[in-house]
Each structure stands twice: as structure tokens, then as C-alpha cells.
Amino acid sequence: MSDSSFYVTTPIYYVNDAPHIGHGYTTVMGDVLTRWHRQRGEDVWYLTGTDEHGQKVLRKAQQNGVAPQDWVDRLVETEWKPLLELLDVANDDFIRTTEARHEAGAQAFWQDLHERGAVYKGGFSGWYSVSGEEFVGDDDVRDGEGDDEGQKVSALDGSRVEYVTEENYFFPLSKYQDQLLALYEERPDFIQPESARNEIVAFVKRGLKDLSISRSTFDWGIQVPWDHEHVMYVWIEALLNYVTAAGYGVDQEKFDRLWPASIHLVGKDIARFHAVIWPAMLMAAGQPVPHRVFAHGWLLVGGQKMSKSKANGIRPDELVSVFGSDAYRYYFSRALTFGSDGSISYEDMHARYHAELANGFGNLASRVAAMVGKYFDGALPAAGESTDAEQRIIDVVAKAVADADAAIEAVAPQDAVAAVWRIVEELNGYITEQAPWAVAKADPDDPRLATILVTATEGLRALAVLLNPVMPKAALALWGSLGAEPTLGALADQRIDGVASWGQLPVGATITKVPSLFPRIETPEAS
Ligand code: MSP
């Protein structure tokens, strides 16, 4: 077990198409966790990437009359890498499964399994879903209806299945049933949340079948090292990205630092691959299993799982171009419960943008900075004596920090943002109650004026640090307005555990006008 790093991963995404907000969801949540853990002072490594082999991608390239390598190269460069910039994602690495480092690592892993006698050759006949890239048991195959009339479909996700008869390599998954159940028992948080855990445990208890792990009817994949007639089954190859990107087989020092992963973030539809097949493969290879697999829910649009094939797929740039990347990140962090399905809508996003970001937070920041400008020429004054009202702010901030940190530990970003938001609400209430403008009007030399504005400004300092993982652009703009950098250093270097210590901004700090963080969006588009 490695304590030296916090290694976070997203699934690697199929490059059969452009990204939609379901992909953006996992990636942004991973980034929020990453940035928070960095501000805890941890050595964080955030990996994302693309899954480029397999029949699904191959067929899509063929349909477009393009060689698969050209297809994936184009899509990765024009769609998938730009997504990270669009959503302001600070990943440390991006793995493509067509890269030489992945191929070398995946082959080394297979070779090791082979030498340990952990794979065998056998005949395979059964149903395969290309769209799901998975084998479908006979019990889960149905007659298609409507457009699928005359075809067989998978009961798991409604996709068409094809009958395959091949000579394949197999992984003896059935042998790992007891070891897997022991793992879930000994490490109850290995698979989270509870709903996903229960489903996985029940699934494994029903018994596991050996898994066909190679294909020999097409060649868009990584060759099995000892038998070039076969390419690796795309899932088995894809799961290996988590170790190949960490240096498996090529950079032992890096691998020792990163592996086992701290957390694999996955959608619930792919939890089984990560919580059953993946740990079994690692066990077979004598490698430690990841610390946890966290399965999040689906984004629902109009009550249905959002997906490209249902034509309710929304592209991230459709939202970012209207609301900006910070508001996008905020909305998905705050409005959904990570781990459950959740409905999203343009109207909800629009409403929260104005109520919470523009009026709640943006307005608070600009009002406070403007008052320091107006009453103190933009130089932070020295605070006078504190009263209960100031102490309350200090206490609220301390509690928010503790609660938010605990929420991040529990992989509940929505609770972390809600905890931080109590500071926004409390500060807004404080300013309304204390009415600094009235104090100034009654007596411009009343020391209360400085005390109130210093307290509010310190509250903004705390907010800049705590919101940086969620809204890095707005937090940085605020940090700049608070004149914090010269004495406190870069925003990204501010530690979570130091936020609550009060009075960090020095007397005389230059407070400047806060740029409009969340300008009003006057014309809501129809969703
Ligand atoms: N390539 C595999 C993963 C291999 S990981 C070793 C794959 N790719 S995917 O592009 O189809 O899906 C990637 C992720 O997107 C999955 O975690 C899936 O749950 C997620 N989402 C796809 N549609 C989604 C929603 N509507 N809502 C939330 N996430 C969803 O599977």
C-alpha cells in the first residue's frame, strides 16, 4: 500500500464520438477532488484518457471511411483533449490506449498472467454487444422491437447483440469469487456508494463465469504477446490503462509511488468491470487492488439517461459557452448527489446561476471590495474590537472547512459545496445586519466600519481558497482583488487546514474592484 500519493482516475472514454456532459461529469468531479486534495498538501496524480481500440470505435471509423488510427487521432485532438481545457481540468496525465507506453505495459501484464498460468485457451460461443463492448449472457438476450425488429438485443442496455463463435483466451474469473467476496467484506469501502456495493456483492454471490479476454476476428487492438492471431478484449486492455499510465513494467519507481490507485471514479454502468473483473485480474497478477472504486449515477435529461444514441446528448460546450466553465463546474458539483442519478436542466442551471452565483457569491464579493474602496481607498484597514457577530463568522468558517473536508473525504462534492456555501449565506446576512453603509453615514470614523469590512474581507479570503477546487477562475480573480498574493502567496498553495485561521490579510492589503464574476445572462435559451 502506498501512502505517498493520492492517485485519482476517470474511466478512459471511447472515442467513437465527441464527448457529452456525462463524460464531462466524471472528469470535473475528479478534478474537484484532485484540486481539493492538492490544497490539503497531498501529492496528487490525476489521470484521464481515451479508450481507442475495440469494435465500437473500429466500426465508427469504417462507417466514416477513415482508418481507425486516423479517426482516433482526429477525435482525440479535436474533441477529447480540448474538453479538458474547456472544463478547466488540471489532469497530470492523459493516456491514449494507442500509445506505445500502453501497448508495452499491457503486453507486459498479459505476459505475466500467461507465465503465472492465469489464462487459458478455449472455445467461445455467445452473444456480444458491440455498443456495450461486452458479452451478454443468454438469459439477458431478448427479441428486438421497433427498429430492432428481427434482431436480438441486450436486456442490460437495449443494444443489439451478435452471435460470436471464436477460439479465445479466457481468464478464470470464476476462481476469484471467494477472494472477491473476502475483499468486499474486509474493505467495506472498496466499492462505494452502498447501493453499488450491494449490487456488486449480490452479483458475485450469484457466481462468476470465466471471461473470454481475446478476439481473433478483427485486429484493431493490442496483440496478445505470445499469439499474434489474437488481440486483447477491449475492456481487459482498457482497465490496464490505470497501471500502464502509472509506469507498470517500464518505470518501477513511478509505479511504486502511484499504485495502488486511491480512487477509480466510474459511472455505475461500468462498476462491475472495475469492482469485479479488475481486482480479480490484479489478484491474478499478484498486484495490490485499488483503494476504492466510486460509482456515480447517471445524468438524466427529461427523466432519461442522457446518451448520444437517445439524441438527448448535450455537449459540454453548449453549456460552457453560455455559463462559463466555473458555473458549469459549480452546477454539476452542487446540484447533483455524486453516487445517485440526478436530473439536470437548462432552467435549473440558469436559476442557480443567478440566485447562487451572481446574486449570492458574485454580488457579495463585489460589494465588499467596493466598500473597502469607497471607505478606505482600497487599503484594508486594521480591525477594531470583535463582537459576537464577528465571532460567529469565524466559527461558521471553521465549521464549514471541517464539514467540507469531511465531505470530500466521503466523495460527496455536493456536501462540500453546500458546507462552503454557508459562509456565503452567513456573510450576506452579516453585511445586511451590520449595514456598514449606515455605520459610515452615522460616523465615518467609527471603528466598527473597519471591523465589519475586515471581517467580510477575511471571509472572502476563506471563500477564494475553499472555492478554488470548484471554480478556479472566479477564485483566482477574487484572490487577485483581495491583494492576497504578495503576502500569502499563490492561491493554489493555500492549504485547506489553514483557511480558518483568522486575520491573514495584512493591514494595508490592496483591495481592488472585483471583476464581474458571473454576469447576468439575460436571454435564457430553450433547453
Ligand atoms: N471505455 C469505457 C471505460 C473504460 S475504463 C477502463 C467506457 N467509456 S464510455 O465513454 O462509454 O463511458 C465512460 C463513462 O461515461 C462511464 O463512466 C459512463 O458511466 C459515463 N457516462 C456515460 N453517459 C452518462 C450519463 N448520462 N451520466 C453520467 N455518466 C455517464 O465505458
Side-chain angles (χ1 to χ4, degrees), residues 147-322:
D147 287 350
D148 297 318
E149 188 79 50
Q151 306 277 338
K152 296 284 186 191
V153 297
S154 159
L156 305 176
D157 62 1
S159 61
R160 280 190 195 175
V161 293
E162 300 164 22
Y163 203 75
V164 183
T165 303
E166 274 181 39
E167 175 92 330
N168 285 337
Y169 286 98
F170 279 77
F171 177 71
L173 188 61
S174 58
K175 284 210 307 212
Y176 291 89
Q177 181 174 4
D178 292 344
Q179 274 186 74
L180 287 167
L181 289 172
L183 168 70
Y184 310 144
E185 184 72 31
E186 281 156 26
R187 301 212 342 229
D189 57 359
F190 173 74
I191 163 87
Q192 289 179 311
E194 198 61 26
S195 52
R197 179 175 189 276
N198 293 341
E199 203 206 294
I200 295 290
V201 170
F203 174 75
V204 174
K205 279 191 174 153
R206 285 198 293 273
L208 296 170
K209 290 201 184 80
D210 288 358
L211 186 68
S212 158
I213 55 166
S214 72
R215 310 298 309 277
S216 53
T217 49
F218 61 93
D219 63 1
W220 181 238
I222 297 179
Q223 284 178 344
V224 171
W226 64 90
D227 184 346
H228 295 177
E229 295 297 304
H230 289 254
V231 293
M232 301 172 189
Y233 164 42
V234 65
W235 258 106
I236 295 296
E237 184 223 301
L239 288 163
L240 290 171
N241 91 88
Y242 302 128
V243 293
T244 62
Y248 176 87
V250 285
D251 183 347
Q252 192 60 35
E253 203 179 312
K254 183 178 179 187
F255 189 65
D256 288 343
R257 182 169 70 87
L258 293 178
W259 196 257
S262 308
I263 185 162
H264 290 318
L265 300 174
V266 302
K268 65 180 184 182
D269 49 335
I270 59 171
R272 277 187 200 174
F273 290 96
H274 287 82
V276 181
I277 298 173
W278 180 224
M281 283 166 64
L282 289 162
M283 287 168 182
Q287 296 291 344
V289 303
H291 290 294
R292 34 179 173 177
V293 174
F294 191 97
H296 67 73
W298 286 335
L299 301 183
L300 308 176
V301 174
Q304 278 211 320
K305 182 188 178 201
M306 195 206 55
S307 74
K308 269 258 141 55
S309 56
K310 289 200 191 103
N312 61 357
I314 302 170
R315 288 175 58 106
D317 54 8
E318 292 174 49
L319 298 177
V320 172
S321 61
V322 178

Side-chain angles (χ1 to χ4, degrees), residues 368 372 375-376 380-391 393-394 427 430-431 434 436 439 444-459 502:
V368 171
V372 178
Y375 301 125
F376 296 100
L380 193 69
E385 231 159 89
S386 286
T387 66
D388 287 353
E390 283 72 46
Q391 190 55 48
I393 297 291
I394 296 172
L427 282 176
Y430 172 77
I431 288 170
Q434 300 299 321
V439 176
D445 295 324
D446 185 340
R448 280 299 296 158
L449 183 60
T451 307
I452 298 163
L453 291 179
V454 169
T455 303
T457 309
E458 274 289 308
W502 213 246

